[in-house]
Amino acid sequence: MYITMMMHHLSLLLSIIIAIAPLTGAIPAQKDLTQVYQTTDEFPLANPGNVPAHDPNIILHNEHYYLFKGGISIPILKSANISGPWEKLGTVLAGDSIIDKGNRSRPWAPTTIEKNGTFYCYYTLSAKGSRNSAIGVATTTALDGSPWTDHGVVINTGKGPGSDVWPYTITNAIDASVIVDQAGQTYLNYGSFWHDLWQVPLADDLLSVKDAAGPDAVQLAFMPRAKIKPEEGVWMSFREGYYYVWFSHGKCCNFQKGFPVAGKEYNIRVGRSRSVRGPFEDKKGRSLVDGGGTVVYGSNHGIVYAPGGLGVLDGNDSVPDILYYHYLNTSIGFDHGQAQLGWNYLKYEDGWPVPVGGQDATSLAFAYRPPGWGYLAMIFGLWLCICKWL
């Protein structure tokens, strides 16, 4: 009788473990999870945006957040809260881009700004591993589902008009972002892998590059001694006299085909300068064009993996700056389309940004932990409770 009861208890316990394992991540789906996941608590968990998004871009307009993301015709979503719920508003493009390149139906990495009542959405056309890329732009005067006008190419690399102009001869025209400096000049930041990150000034209409035949280009970041130069997704912000260059470093996606060595996946880095044109240095004083860059946010707690594709929302006297990005939630999956929107408030220590947790932070209760004594103690405790209950 005793043995029968014990077997019954063990059977119940096993059923509970199997049931809760997908929630806790305690039994990983792949054998090498503990080797590739960072279980550090150095960084706070991502506040959930509660929407799938890759290379998200968010602007705040009329007390609402507007989310632009890579996808068919560039989807637009709206919410009163950065954590959602999100309402679909339509798309930037009515169909394929008028640029005859790459992924015309599914542009990448949109970035939208507003200037003088007009919204400008810069987007990327390319193909994985190719430098035959383009940055295009579309405009509208209202974020209410009204149609946008696609103006086509701002920068070509690889092929197409203007691709023979330096520095487009050596760079990759993807992942555009825009900043207006304190003097009112607008700059386009872009680049990936091939000679990394660059900046060119835009013309007053924001539809073309200033002095297009010989643009005043500067390099923002570079890895001169590395064979592979995985820096992309550049963003620039300004705070209290400093311009900050943010970028994604490492392997971004396609992890269902295999994981890089731990720490080589996407992470978010930063440098700063008193000038919008640089030179930029990291916290240790190393130049960003000499491989520098301070890691601001990376994989953590075994649940946030490969954060990147970032942006920064400027705060005010009552609300801190917000760092937002996409990341892979290890309990959801690693496909490109499973990337999630995440965000954190920023504080600044000696002028350097530090992500902090927030009230909406993902609960630690179900975060992944490698099996250990704590996990075994939990199982034993459950067993005792079941035995007592029965």
Side-chain angles (χ1 to χ4, degrees):
M1 181 69 177
Y2 177 76
I3 294 176
T4 301
M5 289 182 63
M6 288 295 293
M7 292 298 292
H8 179 64
H9 294 170
L10 288 172
S11 177
L12 284 173
L13 179 59
L14 181 59
S15 297
I16 290 172
I17 293 170
I18 291 172
I20 68 173
L23 298 176
T24 63
I27 299 178
Q30 302 185 41
K31 294 181 180 179
D32 62 351
L33 293 189
T34 57
Q35 298 173 19
V36 300
Y37 290 178
Q38 297 293 316
T39 56
T40 178
D41 60 0
E42 177 184 356
F43 308 112
L45 279 164
N47 290 329
N50 294 306
V51 65
H54 198 276
D55 291 334
N57 171 239
I58 300 175
I59 65 171
L60 184 60
H61 177 68
N62 288 341
E63 299 183 353
H64 281 81
Y65 296 93
Y66 290 83
L67 168 64
F68 301 78
K69 61 178 184 174
I72 295 175
S73 301
I74 312 174
I76 310 172
L77 297 89
K78 176 184 178 181
S79 176
N81 190 303
I82 196 170
S83 288
W86 295 92
E87 168 194 358
K88 294 182 179 179
L89 286 184
T91 59
V92 171
L93 303 180
D96 291 355
S97 167
I98 63 174
I99 304 171
D100 189 13
K101 275 193 178 185
N103 52 317
R104 296 177 65 189
S105 65
R106 299 180 64 91
W108 299 349
T111 290
T112 299
I113 66 164
E114 183 273 332
K115 187 174 183 180
N116 298 329
T118 297
F119 298 90
Y120 300 78
C121 179
Y122 299 86
Y123 61 86
T124 293
L125 298 184
S126 190
K128 179 177 170 53
S130 171
R131 203 176 67 82
N132 184 24
S133 310
I135 292 170
V137 63
T139 62
T140 190
T141 55
L143 295 180
D144 57 3
S146 299
W148 293 62
T149 301
D150 188 359
H151 299 275
V153 173
V154 179
I155 294 175
N156 266 319
T157 58
K159 297 179 182 179
S163 61
D164 58 344
V165 173
W166 188 90
Y168 313 136
T169 52
I170 60 172
T171 57
N172 190 22
I174 75 167
D175 292 358
S177 68
V178 175
I179 186 161
V180 181
D181 73 6
Q182 297 301 290
Q185 173 62 51
T186 306
Y187 293 91
L188 179 74
N189 311 302
Y190 76 97
S192 171
F193 283 69
W194 288 270
H195 286 265
D196 291 337
L197 310 179
W198 289 73
Q199 180 190 83
V200 291
L202 288 176
D204 291 342
D205 63 4
L206 305 190
L207 303 178
S208 58
V209 174
K210 190 174 183 179
D211 300 324
D216 181 18
V218 297
Q219 191 167 34
L220 301 175
F222 188 52
M223 301 174 66
R225 288 170 292 280
K227 183 177 179 180
I228 299 175
K229 309 177 191 301
E231 296 181 334
E232 57 190 5
V234 60
W235 185 270
M236 192 174 288
S237 62
F238 178 81
R239 186 180 186 275
E240 295 184 355
Y242 282 104
Y243 292 91
Y244 294 84
V245 164
W246 307 72
F247 57 96
S248 304
H249 178 100
K251 180 177 174 61
C252 81
C253 39
N254 298 315
F255 297 112
Q256 66 273 22
K257 298 180 180 179
F259 294 95
V261 174
K264 297 296 184 180
E265 74 279 6
Y266 247 16
N267 58 72
I268 297 171
R269 302 190 179 193
V270 75
R272 72 181 189 183
S273 174
R274 291 289 186 180
S275 169
V276 70
R277 315 238 63 195
F280 291 85
E281 295 182 346
D282 64 17
K283 192 174 182 179
K284 294 182 178 180
R286 187 176 182 183
S287 171
L288 263 58
V289 295
D290 192 33
T294 298
V295 178
V296 177
Y297 195 68
S299 301
N300 62 82
H301 294 89
I303 197 74
V304 174
Y305 187 68
L310 69 118
V312 175
L313 275 171
D314 293 335
N316 52 43
D317 292 339
S318 58
V319 179
D321 291 357
I322 294 175
L323 171 67
Y324 63 85
Y325 45 85
H326 73 246
Y327 73 100
L328 293 167
N329 186 315
T330 61
S331 67
I332 295 176
F334 302 93
D335 289 342
H336 188 86
Q338 292 176 310
Q340 303 292 306
L341 172 65
W343 63 274
N344 294 89
Y345 290 120
L346 291 172
K347 64 179 179 179
Y348 289 79
E349 297 179 352
D350 297 325
W352 290 97
V354 178
V356 297
Q359 292 181 347
D360 295 327
T362 303
S363 172
L364 283 171
F366 297 115
Y368 168 80
R369 291 291 186 275
W373 288 112
Y375 180 62
L376 294 176
M378 181 187 72
I379 295 174
F380 184 66
L382 285 172
W383 185 17
L384 290 177
C385 289
I386 292 170
C387 292
K388 184 176 180 180
W389 177 62
L390 294 175

